[in-house]
Every structure is written in structure tokens, then in C-alpha cells.
Amino acid sequence: MFEMKPLPYAPGALGEYMSARTLEFHYGKHYKTYVDTLNKLIAGTQFDHLPLEEIIQKTYGKAEYQAIFNNAGQVYNHEMFWNSMTPNGGGAPQGRLAEKIQEAFGSFEKFKEEFKNAAITQFGSGWAWLAVDGGKLKIIKTANGDTPIARGVRPLLNLDVWEHAYYLDYQNRRADFAENFLQHLVKWPESD
Ligand code: MN
């Protein structure tokens, strides 16, 4: 049985950039449904009692386990997403991560452009990610419940670009949502 992980801030703490109403629905309805559905799907199966990452890796690419993969991926992705934001977040990272971003993308501005582009061009539902692949920082986009850890790629942070993540606050303006995420919400990881 998986339990819902607590939201690391109050639903209203992200201000105008992500409203309490959006987070209440997103955390309390969408995320809850993924956790509940995953628990139902794995009860009494070989996946019961396995860690989440192992369930994701063992069900990846297997048609008969697609529903388990989708829900396990979405539980993982949302738990990373809650922790990819913080009240008064955003702006450029400091220290080693700043250097690595400079190395990988040329500049922080270039990184922002590429990350926003991934968020905007993910067709339909999915996620934009900053991840470490083979020791290098990369920007990745995934569809639906897919997640980089299925393929052994280690994500550092993500942005949910399913419409349920932004529609109440931004309607169709996904680009504005991605911009505000980087300017005002993103929580850079402490170490990479
Ligand atoms: Mn979501």
C-alpha cells in the first residue's frame, strides 16, 4: 500500500502562480486517484510490496502491465513535482548546479529557453524534466505517465504539463505557466 506523500507547503502558498484551487484539485483529486488506483491494481500481485521505482522499471514497455506503469509513473512524477516547487522559488540556481547548467546549455537563459520549449512542445499530456543522463544534464519531455526513471535516467526536477496542472489558472497558456514556474516556483535541488 502506498500512502499519499504530504504536500510540502500549504495549497495557497504558491500565490498567484499556482492557486490553492489548482493545488487542491491536483493534489487532493488527481494525485489521490493515481495512488488509490495503483494500490488497487497491485493488490495481491507480484508488484505488491515492491518499491515504487522497481514497479516502474518492471512494468515499463509491457503491454499487460500498462495500467500499473501509468499509475506508478504518475505517483512518482507527482511526488517529484510537489518537491520541484517552493514558495518564493524560481530564478537562477547557485553553486555547482549553476556551473553544470552553464556547461550543458551554454547559459541559464539558454537552459530556460530549452526547458520552456520542451514544456510547450510536449504534444498533449506529459512532463518536462531536468535530468542526469550518463553524467550529463539533459532536458527531457515524456508523455502521459511516462517517467525517465523507467529507463535509468535520474531526474532532478519536473514540470507537469497536463492541462489539470494549469488550466484553472492559465487556461490554454501553457507557455505562461512554464515561464512562471521557472521565474517564481522552481526549487533547485540541493545537490546534483
Ligand atoms: Mn498532474
Side-chain angles (χ1 to χ4, degrees), residues 26 30-31 34 74 78 81-82 127 160-162 164-165:
H26 199 175
H30 293 275
Y31 168 57
Y34 296 126
Q74 284 295 74
H78 282 88
F81 183 51
W82 312 138
W127 298 82
D160 190 341
V161 297
W162 285 57
H164 67 224

